[in-house]
Amino acid sequence: MKGGSVGMRQKSKWLLPFLLLLVVALVGCNTDKKSTNATTSGKEDGPKTEEVSLTIGSWRTEDVAKYEKVIALFNEQHPDIHISFNPTKNTEYNTVLNTALQAGEGPDIFHLRPYAAGLKLAEAGYVEKINDLRGLRAYPEEALMASRDEQGNQYGVPINLSSTQFFYNKKIFKDNNLEVPTTWGEFIALNDQLLEKGITPIAMGTKEGWLLSLLHGIVGPAIYEGNDFYQAVLTGEKDFSDAQFIESIQVMNDLKKYFPANSEGLGMDDIRTLFALEDAAMFPLGSWEIPVVLEMNPDLDLGYFPIPSKEGHKTVTTWVDGSFAINANSKNKEAAKEFLAFLTTKEFGELFVREFSMISAIPGITSDDALLNDISNSTANEATPYMWVTNFTGGDPTTKSLLESELQGMYLDQVTPEEVAKKVQENAKAWFTPFQQ
């Protein structure tokens, strides 16, 4: 018995430290578990928050780094929603997106083309309605209409306004004692003066059709007095057989002598380079080109002017250039709505104008860039809609694309301005209801 007591004492001697170590280990595991839960939830004692992953599709391949900043700002309030911005080359985007959506797949959130092109996807059932999304009331009706159907259903959050106008080289103007034109007559005289001095007046090429509908969107309103004609077209009171519209096509033809030599072979990259390297005095293009040309030539003294009409009325052409929408087949619609609601905030708008150097669709957002601010003010006070995008992307081929191909033919002396207008009218009448009344 004595030997047994000694054995028990020896076992107890080793058992006590072992039990103490076991308790410490269990406490440590419990602490680690709490730490893991706190990291996941963001709260030490709160319930574990489920993490969600979203993908964004877009045609803006050049904006990857910028959208990383947008996502980082969003994640300050929503650390549990992980977002990947995965853009596709702009010329391939429509095909890639449509194919994915038709297969019941595609990104959770995607850049929706404005107006009819985007609404076709909504009509096919690929886009989630966001009628109840908070923040939409901040936008004017004109902006919301870019992604709203005839029944009043909203499908996208407007991101930015684009505008087209004439940019000009301030140094060239100053060195040659030239003034910004205040009437159409002064604009033509300005071009003639530049030509006489051996300076290419307008950096424009006709190789890419979209440049021509864009140019007509700028100069056309100066000939047919902008919004008056536009409103009459919407009601069917006037159409493209109108003498003023035919004159606007004639003016497009007349401007060719102010383009660079061999303009038929020049595309977007060529004309941008001409202007950025100061080999042309003016550049009729969109507000999105500001950061691009200044990156090519940081010393370029860049200005702009709204195109003036014969009577001196000024216009810049504007439209909503894309909205963000939710894939109707997304498995994470609620998280996607949180991101779209964030896109309606002043916080996002201020980041957008600062990082993207574009005009925010959110009213009242200003920029530190004086040029961008001036253009933004023009879009608020001197705007006319870019009707080829806002109203005439219907038809097969679309009226917009037909205009482009016919203008290319005109610049090659294959058709007359009258024939261009006639073909555009015939195309539009086949599908545009106001012209059928």
Side-chain angles (χ1 to χ4, degrees):
M1 292 293 295
K2 185 177 181 181
S5 297
V6 172
M8 288 295 294
R9 286 197 299 270
Q10 289 175 337
K11 288 180 180 179
S12 297
K13 179 180 179 181
W14 295 105
L15 183 60
L16 184 59
F18 174 76
L19 290 173
L20 289 171
L21 287 171
L22 182 61
V23 170
V24 171
L26 289 172
V27 171
C29 288
N30 192 46
T31 301
D32 289 343
K33 186 176 180 181
K34 285 184 178 179
S35 176
T36 301
N37 285 342
T39 301
T40 304
S41 67
K43 298 179 181 179
E44 188 171 336
D45 298 320
K48 182 176 179 180
T49 303
E50 183 179 356
E51 296 190 354
V52 175
S53 293
L54 299 174
T55 55
I56 298 178
S58 172
W59 63 80
R60 298 289 300 179
T61 54
E62 60 269 57
D63 289 342
V64 172
K66 296 172 185 176
Y67 273 106
E68 287 177 355
K69 294 181 179 180
V70 171
I71 293 167
L73 183 62
F74 172 74
N75 283 150
E76 289 180 8
Q77 297 297 323
H78 300 278
D80 52 314
I81 302 177
H82 305 288
I83 303 177
S84 298
F85 182 73
N86 302 320
T88 304
K89 187 177 179 181
N90 61 351
T91 54
E92 301 171 2
Y93 177 71
N94 290 4
T95 300
V96 171
L97 177 64
N98 291 356
T99 301
L101 294 176
Q102 289 167 11
E105 301 173 352
D108 298 284
I109 299 167
F110 54 87
H111 244 142
L112 190 68
R113 295 287 189 184
Y115 308 100
L119 289 175
K120 285 180 182 178
L121 296 181
E123 291 168 5
Y126 299 134
V127 190
E128 185 76 4
K129 295 176 184 176
I130 56 168
N131 297 339
D132 59 347
L133 188 78
R134 68 179 186 273
L136 287 179
R137 292 182 180 179
Y139 298 90
E141 288 295 304
E142 293 81 5
L144 294 173
M145 290 300 292
S147 52
R148 177 184 287 174
D149 66 16
E150 293 181 356
Q151 290 71 45
N153 295 307
Q154 191 68 35
Y155 292 97
V157 172
I159 298 302
N160 67 293
L161 299 179
S162 284
S163 68
T164 52
Q165 53 278 301
F166 267 80
F167 293 109
Y168 71 99
N169 185 312
K170 288 185 176 182
K171 183 177 185 300
I172 290 178
F173 272 47
K174 183 179 179 180
D175 289 348
N176 292 277
N177 297 314
L178 301 172
E179 299 289 339
V180 169
T182 60
T183 65
W184 179 259
E186 289 180 6
F187 173 68
I188 295 300
L190 168 67
N191 281 274
D192 287 333
Q193 288 175 284
L194 286 163
L195 208 57
E196 290 170 5
K197 294 174 181 294
I199 301 169
T200 298
I202 302 174
M204 177 52 59
T206 68
K207 181 180 179 180
E208 298 176 25
W210 70 274
L211 291 172
L212 304 183
S213 58
L214 181 144
L215 179 61
H216 185 270
I218 299 173
V219 303
I223 305 304
Y224 51 68
E225 291 296 338
N227 289 330
D228 290 343
F229 179 79
Y230 173 73
Q231 293 299 331
V233 164
L234 293 189
T235 62
E237 180 184 345
K238 291 186 177 182
D239 59 27
F240 301 131
S241 65
D242 188 90
Q244 284 184 308
F245 181 78
I246 296 172
E247 184 183 357
S248 75
I249 301 297
Q250 179 62 56
V251 162
M252 289 281 288
N253 200 35
D254 295 341
L255 291 179
K256 182 181 177 181
K257 64 182 178 181
Y258 304 124
F259 297 171
N262 303 314
S263 58
E264 296 86 352
L266 301 181
M268 180 66 230
D269 291 341
D270 303 306
I271 62 175
R272 177 194 291 130
T273 300
L274 276 171
F275 182 69
L277 298 185
E278 307 191 61
D279 291 325
M282 294 179 289
F283 185 41
L285 225 87
S287 49
W288 62 86
E289 284 296 311
I290 296 172
V292 183
V293 296
L294 290 179
E295 183 176 353
M296 294 177 68
N297 181 3
D299 296 326
L300 179 65
D301 195 0
L302 182 64
Y304 91 101
F305 58 87
I307 195 72
S309 73
K310 296 177 182 178
E311 304 298 327
H313 300 140
K314 300 176 182 178
T315 56
V316 295
T317 306
T318 61
W319 68 102
V320 173
D321 195 12
S323 303
F324 272 117
I326 298 173
N327 187 336
N329 285 316
S330 171
K331 301 296 190 297
N332 298 298
K333 292 179 184 177
E334 291 307 311
K337 286 182 179 179
E338 283 297 324
F339 183 73
L340 261 63
F342 164 71
L343 298 180
T344 71
T345 64
K346 181 180 179 182
E347 188 179 21
F348 165 73
E350 291 174 343
L351 173 69
F352 182 80
V353 298
R354 183 171 65 250
E355 296 295 336
F356 290 71
S357 297
M358 294 182 183
I359 303 168
S360 173
I362 301 172
I365 301 296
T366 58
S367 169
D368 293 334
D369 186 303
L371 176 62
L372 192 65
N373 255 353
D374 286 346
I375 294 177
S376 182
N377 288 333
S378 287
T379 64
N381 301 306
E382 300 168 331
T384 189
Y386 183 18
M387 68 176 176
W388 302 118
V389 169
T390 59
N391 300 95
F392 288 96
T393 55
D396 185 19
T398 69
T399 304
K400 178 178 181 290
S401 62
L402 179 80
L403 170 72
E404 292 166 355
S405 61
E406 291 301 317
L407 287 174
Q408 285 178 313
M410 181 185 74
Y411 284 121
L412 293 172
D413 296 322
Q414 296 173 348
V415 292
T416 66
E418 290 79 11
E419 289 171 332
V420 172
K422 181 180 179 181
K423 290 181 180 179
V424 170
Q425 172 62 19
E426 289 173 350
N427 175 283
K429 189 174 182 179
W431 66 271
F432 189 60
T433 303
F435 288 176
Q436 299 170 345
Q437 298 172 352

